[in-house]
Every structure is written in structure tokens, then in C-alpha cells.
Amino acid sequence: MIFDRALRKSAGRASPVDGLLTLESARGWTGWTAEDAVALSRDKAMKLSTVSRCVELRANAIAMLPVYLMDETTKARLRDHPLGPLLWGPPNEVMSRYDYSRLMQCNLDLCGNAYAWINRDGRTGRPQELIPLPPQNVTPYIDPAGTLWYVYTHPRTGGMTRLAPEDVLHYKAYSKDGITGISILERASAAISTGLSAQQYQADLYANGGRPSGVLKTNTDLSGTITELNAAGEPETISRKEKLRREWEKVHNGPGKGFRVAVLDLGLDYTPIAMNNAEAQFVESEEYRVADVARFFGVPLYLLNAGKQAYSSNEQNSIDFVKHTMLPIIVQREQEDSWKLLLPRERAQGLRIKREPKQLLRGDTAAQAAWYEAMDRIGGYSVDDIRALEDLPNVPGGKARKASLNYVPLEDWRELSRLRATQGRQEPRKE
């Protein structure tokens, strides 16, 4: 495992532990679910298309954001900092930056917590690698002195390694205690379980030819039992009613058996149950379930190919998705990364690790051109600034900023007005 190799190469900052004093976690709290809600596994929940799409959207949105170092005092981006290769390059020997960021966000959404071990240089203390840790193998605990630690349990050997909190990046979802996150799957388990049940109902419906079950009626006496061999070849005693039911299902239930002609004897009469998809408002309930799950993830319906599709409202929904769903996730990552990846003296100097959310807010070409033109006109952007946002190189003279003289500071307005009036009264010079 990558963690094992990195641990052997590290300077011994992680230590094995024998005992474990676990922190009381909010994971076990059952207040999120209805009494009859089914416990959800990650793999089971991801079989619901709405959950799968929401997780993928949020993970891809985070993974595509550029990461950079900035001096908060001067707002200058630092491109040649020693931490740079780790931030915008591969975080470890087997992952790209995109794959690492996407995995961390998937762990956060599905488990409520995302952990990465910071493998540091033993001499300088500067981070060398970021190793994602499976959330189910990491346990926060507090020792008798009140210090927070993280315990990593090896998935194969069961050996436990104690990690200092400054050596573990920990992104967390909503939390009751500020230490352990509660996953969206736990909070939305009732809604997701309902969606899975509806999905299973639909699969069963089509597997049985799209026809609902019904009632077999006869005037023949079906009391008593019979003995026959079961699938294992052993004698089995069943009722005559059960025998009739099995024979009917053998012929009419299952793939490829729908709409077969029924041949009834013994005075049998088949009456289907008077319910179909339209009467059950199956389509309407499906839209409601999609919206219910989407609310937990904060994903607009149009990104799930659901709800009403209108360009103007979808554009605003996209902005709201970035502002209210992704920005809180981005800010948490920026603060956690800045606190644990930068050295204390660098944080004191005002250095911060940032992400560029404008990547998610790029509109159509016309709107983008209008924005660039407005920023260029007021001197907010130079030509090189605009080209940098479009991943283009600088050009000669591109650093200069310009602004219209039609707008001047108020304190200079009286003097400039007087000068303009004076120049207007001057007579043209005679040759």
C-alpha cells in the first residue's frame, strides 16, 4: 500500500499504538433516519442514479479547480514556492492532482470525512506527499490529557498507527462535535432508501412483463397438502394453494415471460389488481424523489436532467450551486490546507493556499467578453490579466492598465473642471 511505503520512508512522525480511547462519534446517532430506514452502504447508495450523479458532480467540480499560493498582504500569487509542485502537481507517486482531489471529495460525500496523511521531510518539516486514507480505517480519539489524535488501522494486519493532527488533512461534512463529520448518506438515508425501493419496484415491474400481480380464484377445494421434491431434490410438504401459486409464477413471472397467454383450468379465474403506473403517479413520485435527494447534496435539478429546463434560470442556478454548495467546501479546504501544509512562519507572513472558483463560473462567450471589456475599461484588469484567465501567455505592453478620463476622483473634480473651462475659452492661435 502507498501508505506503508511512505511510512517506511518517513522520519517516524507516526507511531504505533496499543490502546484506543475513541472519541464519541456522531456516526452512530440514529436521529437522522426513520425507524424503518435501511442502513445504507456506499456501494448500495451509489446504485441510485441521483446519488451517483450528485457525488460525481461535486467531486469533479472540486477536482477541476486550480490551486495556488497567495500572499494575503499583497494579493500576489507565488509561482516558485517550494510547496508548489505538491499543490499543482502529483500529490503522491501513484495519483494525479485531479484523481486525488476527486477521491477526497467522494470520501467526504459518502463517508462524511476525508483524510490524507501528510508525509513530511524529516529535516525541514515541509510536506512531501499527501496520502489519502480510507475513512473507515481512521478514528479520531482524545487522550487523557485532552489532545486530539488520529488512529489509522491497517486494513489487512489490523495494526494501529497514531498520527498527530497537524499531519492529517481532515475535511469533514456537517458535524455535531466539530471533529467527526456526518455523511450525507446518513442524513438522507430515508430519502435514498425510498428511491432505491422505487427503483427496485420498477425493475420488478418490468421483469414481470409490466403487469401487476393479481388474484387467482376458483370454486375447487384447495385445502390439504401435497409432497413434492424441492430444488435440492429433497421431499417438501406444501399446501395445494402454494403449489398453484408456484406453477403460475413459473410460467408468467420473470424475464421474457410477460404478456404470455394464460391457459386456465380447474375453474380458475385470474383478476389483476386494479393499479397501474399512471394511477400510482409513478412518474410524479420519481421527480419528487430526485428533488428530495438533490436537496441534501445542494445540486440544482437541471444538472441531474430533471425539473424545468430554461437557460436563464439554469444560469442563475449554476451560480447558486457555486456560491451556496461549492464555496463552503472550497473555504474549508483552503483553511485546512493553509493551516497544515504551510509552515508556521509562512502563515505568519500571510501566505495562504487558495482555489480559483471562477473556473466554475465561466459563462457564454458574449457574457465573458463583456465582463473582460468592463474590467479593462475601469483598469481592473490589464491585457495580461485577461490573457492569463484564458490560459494565454503575456504580450508586449500587456501589463499596462488604462482608464477613461471621463471619470475622475471627486477631490480632483473642481480643479479639472476649471482647467477644462479655461482651455475652452482660449482663442485659437493665429498664424
Side-chain angles (χ1 to χ4, degrees), residues 314-365:
N314 288 350
E315 186 178 24
Q316 185 59 47
N317 288 336
S318 180
I319 295 173
D320 289 341
F321 172 65
V322 175
K323 288 173 58 178
H324 302 297
T325 298
M326 299 312 302
L327 273 182
I329 299 174
I330 293 171
V331 170
Q332 185 194 59
R333 289 201 174 202
E334 290 176 345
Q335 293 181 356
E336 183 77 359
D337 292 350
S338 299
W339 177 30
K340 295 180 179 179
L341 297 181
L342 293 172
L343 300 179
R345 57 178 173 81
E346 294 174 330
R347 295 197 302 270
Q349 293 170 0
L351 270 60
R352 297 293 183 268
I353 297 174
K354 309 286 285 185
R355 286 167 174 80
E356 183 53 83
K358 289 188 179 67
Q359 187 80 12
L360 303 175
L361 292 172
R362 289 189 175 183
D364 58 79
T365 305

Side-chain angles (χ1 to χ4, degrees), residues 196-227:
L196 288 170
S197 299
Q199 186 171 274
Q200 185 60 49
Y201 163 77
Q202 190 175 26
D204 292 341
L205 188 70
Y206 289 128
N208 288 293
R211 290 190 174 183
S213 59
V215 177
L216 287 172
K217 297 186 296 184
T218 180
N219 294 324
T220 304
D221 183 11
L222 295 179
S223 61
T225 61
I226 60 174
T227 301

Side-chain angles (χ1 to χ4, degrees), residues 9-296:
K9 294 187 295 183
S10 71
R13 295 178 61 83
S15 59
V17 292
D18 298 323
L20 182 66
L21 177 62
T22 59
L23 182 71
E24 183 178 356
S25 172
R27 282 182 194 167
W29 190 57
T30 58
W32 296 112
T33 63
E35 293 181 359
D36 57 346
V38 180
L40 287 172
S41 67
R42 289 176 293 173
D43 293 339
K44 184 177 180 180
M46 286 292 282
K47 291 180 180 179
L48 188 64
S49 61
T50 307
V51 173
S52 179
R53 183 59 176 157
C54 286
V55 171
E56 187 176 22
L57 280 168
R58 288 159 56 107
N60 289 341
I62 281 291
M64 65 189 287
L65 295 181
V67 184
Y68 60 94
L69 271 165
M70 187 178 76
D71 188 331
E72 286 280 8
T73 304
T74 63
K75 302 300 180 182
R77 297 193 181 191
L78 309 180
R79 305 184 185 277
D80 55 354
H81 191 276
L83 193 59
L86 186 66
L87 292 181
W88 45 80
N92 54 63
E93 58 186 343
V94 299
M95 289 182 176
S96 67
R97 161 57 59 176
Y98 185 91
D99 291 335
Y100 164 81
S101 298
R102 185 169 56 177
L103 173 63
M104 293 291 284
Q105 186 60 39
C106 286
N107 286 341
L108 178 61
D109 285 344
L110 296 174
C111 301
N113 299 274
Y115 302 97
W117 179 52
I118 306 171
N119 183 19
R120 300 182 185 273
D121 180 271
R123 183 177 59 85
T124 64
R126 193 172 293 284
Q128 293 179 309
E129 287 183 299
L130 300 177
I131 313 296
L133 303 177
Q136 64 272 19
N137 295 106
V138 180
T139 305
Y141 85 100
I142 295 179
D143 64 18
T147 303
L148 173 67
W149 299 90
Y150 292 92
V151 169
Y152 172 71
T153 304
H154 197 286
R156 290 199 299 265
T157 66
M160 293 187 294
T161 304
R162 185 175 66 177
L163 305 172
E166 61 268 21
D167 292 333
V168 178
L169 289 176
H170 181 190
Y171 309 135
K172 58 183 74 70
Y174 172 82
S175 175
K176 289 179 62 185
D177 53 20
I179 298 175
T180 305
I182 304 173
S183 73
I184 297 178
L185 297 190
E186 290 184 64
R187 289 180 279 149
S189 60
I192 296 174
S193 296
T194 301
L196 288 170
S197 299
Q199 186 171 274
Q200 185 60 49
Y201 163 77
Q202 190 175 26
D204 292 341
L205 188 70
Y206 289 128
N208 288 293
R211 290 190 174 183
S213 59
V215 177
L216 287 172
K217 297 186 296 184
T218 180
N219 294 324
T220 304
D221 183 11
L222 295 179
S223 61
T225 61
I226 60 174
T227 301
E228 64 176 12
L229 297 179
N230 58 21
E234 301 174 349
E236 180 184 12
T237 301
I238 60 174
S239 67
R240 293 181 182 275
K241 291 182 180 180
E242 181 63 24
K243 172 65 175 177
L244 182 60
R245 180 186 294 110
R246 290 183 181 181
E247 291 299 325
W248 179 271
E249 291 177 347
K250 185 187 302 183
V251 175
H252 297 285
N253 285 6
K257 297 180 181 179
F259 302 100
R260 297 184 67 180
V261 177
V263 179
L264 305 178
D265 57 5
L266 299 176
L268 286 174
D269 180 28
Y270 174 74
T271 304
I273 294 176
M275 184 185 72
N276 53 43
N277 277 355
E279 292 167 340
Q281 295 182 334
F282 189 82
V283 175
E284 289 83 353
S285 63
E286 177 70 14
E287 292 178 355
Y288 170 77
R289 287 189 296 272
V290 171
D292 201 20
V293 174
R295 271 192 290 268
F296 280 97

